[in-house]
Amino acid sequence: ACEAERWLDASVTLAAVVCTLSRGVVLGLLTAAVLAGLGSLLRRRRVGTRAFGKIAAAVAVAVMAVALLYRLVPDTDTVLAGRLSPANALIRSQFAVEAVGKIAERPLLGYGGGAAPDGMWELARVHNTYLQQMVSFGVLLGAFVSLALAGTAVFFFSRWRTSAPAGVVGFTAVAQR
């Protein structure tokens, strides 16, 4: 029963993560999955058939979750089309370019947490956690905060075999990038 409960929990969590339709969260999910797979491969020195079964089950759950979301929420296609549009990608990349320019202007101290550099409110949230830290706190403190975030994720994620909650915390830290 314990294994079945874990699969149910994992399936519901995976479906919920995928249904956010957030590229960053899905990328974090894929990153966490790759890290888990590499960790398992390094420990066992082989890839077993159970791993392929788990991957197939995870992909099936993700596809079914998105299909169900489309079926139950008709406006999903409008939201998804906007998120995946070239215009949205261009806007996000422009945020990053502008953020790097603002970092270059104030590399040591940044602009302060939540501040809008030169009234550019879109840069108060760049949509990239690590880049945002550098805009807010400067390169040195931003790099320190970014390393602390990454270190926290590695610390907890590396203990997922001995503590399920630690794995969840590690995954969340990776997914929040």
Side-chain angles (χ1 to χ4, degrees):
C2 185
E3 183 72 19
E5 287 175 5
R6 275 200 265 179
W7 269 104
L8 178 61
D9 292 348
S11 297
V12 169
T13 302
L14 176 64
V17 166
V18 170
C19 285
T20 64
L21 300 178
S22 166
R23 294 170 301 223
V25 172
V26 172
L27 180 61
L29 174 69
L30 293 174
T31 302
V34 167
L35 290 173
L38 287 175
S40 179
L41 180 63
L42 291 174
R43 279 189 301 281
R44 296 183 185 162
R45 304 267 189 235
R46 63 181 173 80
V47 177
T49 55
R50 286 184 65 195
F52 289 116
K54 289 178 181 179
I55 291 169
V59 169
V61 166
V63 168
M64 287 187 299
V66 172
L68 188 61
L69 181 67
Y70 266 86
R71 183 81 172 147
L72 296 176
V73 184
D75 293 334
T76 301
D77 60 340
T78 305
V79 172
L80 188 59
R83 286 180 173 265
L84 298 178
S85 71
N88 190 29
L90 182 63
I91 289 168
R92 294 284 181 100
S93 65
Q94 189 61 36
F95 284 165
V97 168
E98 290 173 1
V100 169
K102 293 301 174 185
I103 292 168
E105 288 177 15
R106 295 186 68 178
L108 293 179
L109 298 177
Y111 291 86
D118 299 329
M120 300 174 75
W121 286 103
E122 66 273 4
L123 291 184
R125 190 166 192 298
V126 179
H127 296 284
N128 179 304
T129 299
Y130 305 109
L131 189 57
Q132 184 65 55
Q133 301 309 312
M134 293 192 188
V135 169
S136 297
F137 306 117
V139 175
L140 293 178
L141 186 55
F144 178 76
V145 169
S146 296
L147 286 173
L149 290 171
T152 301
V154 169
F155 174 81
F156 283 104
F157 199 68
S158 66
R159 284 153 179 77
W160 72 280
R161 286 264 187 216
T162 58
S163 170
V168 171
V169 171
F171 164 73
T172 302
V174 170
Q176 292 303 312
R177 43 139 192 55

